[in-house]
Amino acid sequence: MASACPPPSPLVLVVEDEEIVRMVAVEMLEVAGWTALEAADADEAMLLLERRSDIAVLFTDVDMPGSMDGFELATQVASRWPHIRLVLTSGRLRPSNDDVPDSGQFVAKPYRTSQLLEAFRNAG
């Protein structure tokens, strides 16, 4: 009798310029059963998004160096890849979910795994 393969875990792209924060977020997600890709800024994230068709969620910091911040990245993703759910985070800004493009969610830093996963479930 053949054993059934488990379904693939959802893939999330974590975009965070602070390496330690990014590593903690990835670990939280992987422990919760997600698969995570990492990008240090929006430019690196865009390259990954252009090469991959299996990303389900973009989880991005708002405040990042580079050519665009997290809000601009989320806007670009909503326009080009509308199937990707959007979750933004910041330790300084406190926008409402209405400020996040495409029915996305906002999670304030510091966040717990349960808060992050709830935002993923609630993202458009």
Side-chain angles (χ1 to χ4, degrees):
M1 179 188 306
S3 62
C5 293
S9 61
L11 183 61
V12 60
L13 175 55
V14 178
V15 187
E16 169 64 63
D17 61 307
E18 294 184 40
E19 186 175 5
I20 298 295
V21 176
R22 187 173 65 244
M23 289 171 51
V24 169
V26 166
E27 183 176 344
M28 290 169 75
L29 292 169
E30 289 176 345
V31 166
W34 291 73
T35 301
L37 292 174
E38 300 177 44
D41 59 34
D43 297 319
E44 187 178 345
M46 289 298 285
L47 290 173
L48 286 168
L49 288 158
E50 288 169 355
R51 287 188 237 157
R52 306 281 305 237
S53 62
D54 54 346
I55 297 171
V57 178
L58 172 72
F59 177 50
T60 183
D61 188 19
V62 171
D63 302 310
M64 290 186 298
S67 67
M68 65 181 103
D69 67 12
F71 277 114
E72 179 61 26
L73 175 60
T75 300
Q76 293 286 328
V77 170
S79 174
R80 294 181 62 185
W81 299 281
H83 67 281
I84 296 177
R85 291 176 279 171
L86 305 172
V87 178
L88 280 67
T89 189
S90 178
R92 288 183 266 201
L93 300 176
R94 296 289 190 262
S96 72
N97 287 333
D98 293 336
D99 296 326
V100 179
D102 200 32
S103 301
Q105 297 287 297
F106 177 80
V107 178
K109 289 180 182 177
Y111 46 79
R112 293 188 303 262
T113 303
S114 60
Q115 293 169 305
L116 193 53
L117 296 177
E118 181 179 345
F120 286 7
R121 284 190 295 275
N122 293 332

